[in-house]
Amino acid sequence: MHFYIILLTTLVVGCNAKNELIKNDIEDDSTLTTPELIAKYKYPIENHYVETSDGYILNLHRIPNYGKKEATRKELPVYLQHGIECSSADWVTPGPKKGLPYLLADRGYDVWLGNNRGNRYSRNHTTLDPKRDAKNFWNFSWHEIGMIDVPEMIDYILSVTNKTSLYHIGHSQGTTTYYVMCSERPEYNTKVEAHISLAPIGYMNHAVSPVIRFAALFQKLLQVLIKLFRSYELLPQGNLLNLYLKNNCKPGKLQFICSDFLFMIFGFGKDQLNTTLLPVVLNHFPAGSSSKQAIHYMQEMNSGKFRQYDYGLIKNKIKYNSITPPNYKLENISSKVYLFWSKNDWLSHEKDVKRLAERLPNSEEILINNPKWTHLDYLWGIDVVPMVYDIVFEKLEQH
Ligand SMILES: *[C@@H]1O[C@H](CO)[C@@H](O)[C@H](O)[C@H]1NC(C)=O
Ligand SMILES: *[C@@H]1O[C@H](CO)[C@@H](O)[C@H](O)[C@H]1NC(C)=O
Ligand SMILES: *[C@@H]1O[C@H](CO)[C@@H](O)[C@H](O)[C@H]1NC(C)=O
Ligand SMILES: *[C@@H]1O[C@H](CO)[C@@H](O)[C@H](O)[C@H]1NC(C)=O
Ligand SMILES: CC(=O)N[C@H]1CO[C@H](CO)[C@@H](O)[C@@H]1O
C-alpha cells in the first residue's frame, strides 16, 4: 500500500515538475530574443550589424561552426531569410532538434540568420527614426529588401567568412526577395551555390487566403488610409494584436481563436499545429514590417504579374519610363533553385508555383508529401524534419 502511495506521489510530483519545466520554458522562450534563445540552448551565438548603402542597420545572428572539429565542419555558410512580419526568431522557436538553424549547426554548417529592415531587430538607421521619420523610414517594399538588404547581407557574410559563395534558404517573402535580387542584380547568382525556396512567393494571383484576398480588394482604399492615419508601419511588436495574442494564446485560454487566426491567413491544418508551442510562436510573430510590403503583395494578387511596385501612371512614367511597372526578369536567375511547395498552402498556390518554375531556368520542384501542409508548417509543423528539412539537407549535400 505504502509503496503505491509513494509511487503515485512520485508520479504526480514528477509530472508536475515536468509540467512546471515546460511551462517555464514556454514563458522564457516567449520573451527571450533570438540571441538569448540560442544561448539558452547552449549553441554559440554572435551578433553582427550590417549598415546598408541607404543607412539601415541590420542585425544578423550567427551560429558559428569554428568550435566544431575540423572534419565535421562544412565548407560553405548557410544564410536563412525569414518572411514578412517574421524575424530570425521564427526559425529557432521550435527549439533544438526541430528548429532549422540548430539542425544545420548540428550538421557542421556555419549558420547566419538575416533580419530585414524594419523588423524588431533591424529598426535602426543612421539618420532616420522609425517613429519620428515614419514616412521616410518605412518607405520601402520587399523590392528594396531584395535589391539592397539581401545582397548586402550576403556580401557581409562572404567577407567575414572569406568565402566566395554560400547556401541561401528563404521562407515565403524570403523567397520573393531572392528572386528580386537574382533577377535585377544577376551577378549575385554566382555567389549562391544553391537556393532553397520554402513556400515560394513570386506570382500571387491564385492565393486563396480569404483574409488577404479580401484586403486586396480594397488595396487602393488601404493606401489612402495608410497615408491618412500615417500607419506606414504594419503590426509592429507590442501592437494590439500582439497583446491580444500574448494574453489569449496560452493553453486553457481561448487558444482556438489564435490558431484560427493563423489558419484564416495561411491555411487550415490542425494536424501539424503544436498547441504547446503556439504561445511562444505568437510572442515572436508578428515582428514588424512596412505597410508598403503588404500593398506590393496585394498589387501582385490584383495584377497577376510579378513586377516592381506600382506608383500609379504618372509616377511610374517618371520612375520606370513606362506607365506600368517593369516585370522582374526571372530568366536571369541562373542559380540552382529548389522550390518546396505544398497543396494546402493558401498563399503559395500550385498554379502560381508552376508558372514561376516555368520561367526559372535552373529550378527543381519538390512537392511536400502531405496534402494538408500549410504555409507556416515549414517553420513550426510537427513533422517538419522528415517532411521538409531532411530533403533540404540532402539537396545542400549535392552542391
Ligand atoms: C538600435 O537602437 C536601439 C534602440 O534605440 C539601441 O538600443 C541599439 O543599441 C541600437 N543598435 C545599433 C546596432 O545601433
Ligand atoms: C519613396 O520611395 C520612392 C522610390 O524610391 C520615391 O519615389 C518616393 O518619392 C519616396 N517617398 C517618400 C515619401 O519619400
Ligand atoms: C581567404 O581565402 C583565400 C583563398 O580562398 C586565401 O588565399 C586567403 O589566405 C584567405 N584569407 C584569410 C584572411 O583567411
Ligand atoms: C510541441 O512543442 C513543445 C515545446 O517546444 C515540445 O516540447 C513538444 O515536443 C512539441 N510536440 C510535438 C508533438 O512536436
Ligand atoms: C546577366 C543577364 O542574364 N542579364 C539578362 C537579364 O534579363 C534581361 C531581359 O530578360 C536580359 O536583357 C539580360 O541580358
Side-chain angles (χ1 to χ4, degrees):
M1 184 66 193
H2 229 88
F3 172 76
Y4 284 108
I5 291 176
I6 291 173
L7 183 68
L8 202 67
T9 13
T10 328
L11 280 177
V12 170
V13 171
C15 280
N16 267 344
K18 198 168 157 237
N19 277 339
E20 203 48 41
L21 193 74
I22 289 180
K23 195 163 153 264
N24 286 342
D25 261 356
I26 296 299
E27 274 170 21
D28 272 5
D29 289 6
S30 299
T31 51
L32 297 178
T33 61
T34 306
E36 290 167 346
L37 267 173
I38 293 173
K40 176 184 163 185
Y41 290 106
K42 306 271 183 297
Y43 282 76
I45 169 74
E46 287 176 7
N47 250 320
H48 291 260
Y49 296 96
V50 179
E51 190 183 312
T52 67
S53 47
D54 55 352
Y56 291 86
I57 297 164
L58 311 177
N59 191 180
L60 272 164
H61 298 129
R62 178 192 193 188
I63 308 180
N65 67 348
Y66 43 68
K68 285 208 168 337
K69 279 199 219 77
E70 182 108 38
T72 61
R73 257 183 261 158
K74 292 283 199 298
E75 168 73 14
L76 299 182
V78 186
Y79 154 53
L80 276 66
Q81 185 55 45
H82 61 78
I84 190 170
E85 288 293 349
C86 286
S87 74
S88 56
D90 300 304
W91 299 105
V92 294
T93 41
K97 303 201 163 60
K98 261 301 174 46
L100 184 55
Y102 295 123
L103 297 171
L104 287 166
D106 293 345
R107 278 164 180 73
Y109 290 99
D110 178 11
V111 184
W112 293 78
L113 310 175
N115 283 296
N116 57 231
R117 56 182 65 191
N119 87 7
R120 63 180 290 205
Y121 299 106
S122 298
R123 291 171 62 90
N124 291 3
H125 190 280
T126 49
T127 58
L128 300 174
D129 181 272
K131 290 234 149 51
R132 265 198 325 275
D133 312 306
K135 195 172 176 187
N136 289 314
F137 182 94
W138 297 102
N139 185 21
F140 61 83
S141 165
W142 36 261
H143 176 78
E144 285 73 20
I145 296 172
M147 292 297 281
I148 305 168
D149 294 7
V150 176
E152 292 185 8
M153 282 192 274
I154 288 179
D155 285 337
Y156 179 88
I157 296 169
L158 295 180
S159 85
V160 169
T161 56
N162 191 31
K163 302 282 186 225
T164 51
S165 65
L166 46 64
Y167 301 109
H168 179 287
I169 302 177
H171 174 240
S172 190
Q173 183 194 257
T175 72
T176 315
T177 50
Y178 184 75
Y179 309 142
V180 170
M181 172 180 76
C182 289
S183 295
E184 307 310 304
R185 303 187 68 178
E187 67 276 19
Y188 278 86
N189 282 296
T190 55
K191 298 190 185 190
V192 179
E193 199 63 28
H195 165 77
I196 307 275
S197 274
L198 304 176
I201 301 281
Y203 297 105
M204 280 209 78
N205 49 317
H206 291 98
V208 294
S209 167
V211 177
I212 312 282
R213 281 226 89 94
F214 184 75
L217 287 178
F218 300 99
Q219 176 219 314
K220 291 256 160 60
L221 176 66
L222 287 173
Q223 279 176 274
V224 173
L225 292 177
I226 287 167
K227 269 209 179 120
L228 197 62
F229 293 104
R230 303 180 52 77
S231 35
Y232 301 108
E233 180 177 10
L234 185 71
L235 303 178
Q237 271 267 312
N239 65 11
L240 282 179
L241 177 66
N242 251 174
L243 294 179
Y244 176 83
L245 296 175
K246 231 187 209 97
N247 290 324
N248 291 290
C249 296
K250 299 182 179 128
K253 290 256 196 162
L254 300 173
Q255 231 191 4
F256 70 94
I257 297 184
C258 309
S259 44
D260 285 355
F261 157 75
L262 290 180
F263 290 159
M264 285 297 283
I265 299 180
F266 301 103
F268 268 88
K270 278 214 175 5
D271 304 14
Q272 291 296 322
L273 187 77
N274 181 347
T275 47
T276 316
L277 191 61
L278 197 58
V280 181
V281 161
L282 289 173
N283 268 282
H284 289 275
F285 168 92
S289 67
S290 74
S291 301
K292 201 168 168 180
Q293 282 165 255
I295 296 292
H296 197 172
Y297 275 132
M298 290 176 199
Q299 292 179 348
E300 304 252 310
M301 296 181 84
N302 293 329
S303 71
K305 304 269 201 302
F306 181 45
R307 63 185 186 188
Q308 295 192 36
Y309 194 86
D310 191 344
Y311 288 94
L313 300 182
I314 297 167
K315 279 198 194 159
N316 283 346
K317 183 77 185 150
I318 298 168
K319 195 172 165 62
Y320 306 124
N321 194 27
S322 143
I323 54 170
T324 53
N327 292 330
Y328 289 110
K329 300 188 275 294
L330 290 169
E331 289 75 18
N332 281 356
I333 307 182
S334 55
S335 53
K336 183 77 189 183
V337 175
Y338 293 100
L339 300 164
F340 285 69
W341 64 278
S342 60
K343 295 219 168 173
N344 188 34
D345 187 328
W346 285 14
L347 294 176
S348 176
H349 190 273
E350 174 168 5
K351 283 188 183 150
D352 293 334
V353 174
K354 297 274 177 207
R355 197 170 152 212
L356 174 73
E358 249 168 48
R359 284 187 61 198
L360 293 176
N362 193 7
S363 68
E364 183 180 322
E365 288 177 45
I366 292 119
L367 170 62
I368 306 299
N369 188 18
N370 178 338
K372 291 188 177 166
W373 204 257
T374 74
H375 199 71
L376 293 180
D377 292 339
Y378 292 92
L379 297 174
W380 308 318
I382 286 172
D383 299 319
V384 68
V385 180
M387 281 295 149
V388 183
Y389 297 163
D390 281 344
I391 308 171
V392 170
F393 303 140
E394 223 174 84
K395 296 299 173 193
L396 295 185
E397 296 273 342
Q398 289 171 12
H399 289 269

